[in-house]
Amino acid sequence: MSTTAWASRPKRVGELCIHAAFCIGRTRPIAEMLADTGDSDVRSSVMGRIDHCPSGSYSYALQRGGDSIEPDLPQAISVLEEENGLASALWMTGGVPVLRADGLPLQTRNRMTLCRCGHSGNKPLCDGTHRKIDFREEMQSRGGEQTHREERRTS
């Protein structure tokens, strides 16, 4: 077991967070684990959670003032879905450029999540509001062709 902690603590950019809970984990949240990162197993667990976060709200560097470490992700746009058929965000990876509605560019990032439900308080980024409104996407068949229908359930 190493007794050396990170030279630089992980950083969090809250407005990027989709609240997917990768930082919470099944046992301890990242915030509670930071004091124990001198243990290489704990440090590795924190790094893995950060690497799997779809929004990229957490980052870490191996040296104080060093570049943030990011997973190697291809340029892609994916539709995320959560448990029980709940529709989620658009997941942008690999530095896909995104323009806001006013035509100005968002900061190009290795990964980010964009709102699909239209109710995020942090548009164009997803803030997890789709869970509160029970946002779902259902497949429908029309003339032998599958189409998507997004809906918000209020019950």
Side-chain angles (χ1 to χ4, degrees):
M1 237 192 296
S2 170
T3 56
T4 306
W6 280 341
S8 176
R9 291 175 61 93
K11 297 176 192 163
R12 182 170 184 269
V13 181
E15 60 266 15
L16 296 175
C17 186
I18 187 177
H19 305 284
F22 283 88
C23 59
I24 303 295
R26 297 184 192 271
T27 55
R28 291 169 58 194
I30 285 177
E32 290 179 12
M33 298 171 75
L34 293 178
D36 299 326
T37 56
D39 178 330
S40 61
D41 289 338
V42 172
R43 191 170 51 249
S44 177
S45 178
V46 169
M47 293 164 71
R49 289 183 192 186
I50 290 171
D51 287 347
H52 286 94
C53 174
S55 68
S57 64
Y58 268 102
S59 63
Y60 64 91
L62 298 179
Q63 297 177 343
R64 186 177 309 278
D67 291 337
S68 291
I69 305 296
E70 281 285 339
D72 187 20
L73 299 171
Q75 274 201 339
I77 302 170
S78 304
V79 176
L80 298 180
E81 185 176 304
E82 297 183 15
E83 295 176 346
N84 303 317
L86 190 64
S88 187
L90 284 177
W91 187 34
M92 316 290 282
T93 61
V96 172
V98 176
L99 294 178
R100 300 182 329 185
D102 62 7
L104 295 175
L106 281 179
Q107 176 187 10
T108 301
R109 302 182 56 86
N110 186 47
R111 54 194 160 147
M112 72 173 88
T113 51
L114 299 180
C115 176
R116 282 179 50 218
C117 74
H119 294 276
S120 171
N122 192 28
K123 290 179 200 156
L125 300 174
C126 176
D127 67 359
T129 298
H130 58 273
R131 289 183 202 96
K132 293 177 187 167
I133 65 169
D134 199 34
F135 182 65
R136 299 189 179 269
E137 178 180 75
E138 297 176 5
M139 295 294 289
Q140 291 185 328
S141 182
R142 182 175 43 189
E145 183 179 305
Q146 285 193 333
T147 61
H148 292 280
R149 181 173 65 103
E150 295 177 350
E151 65 179 40
R152 175 182 160 199
R153 295 188 180 160
T154 56
S155 53

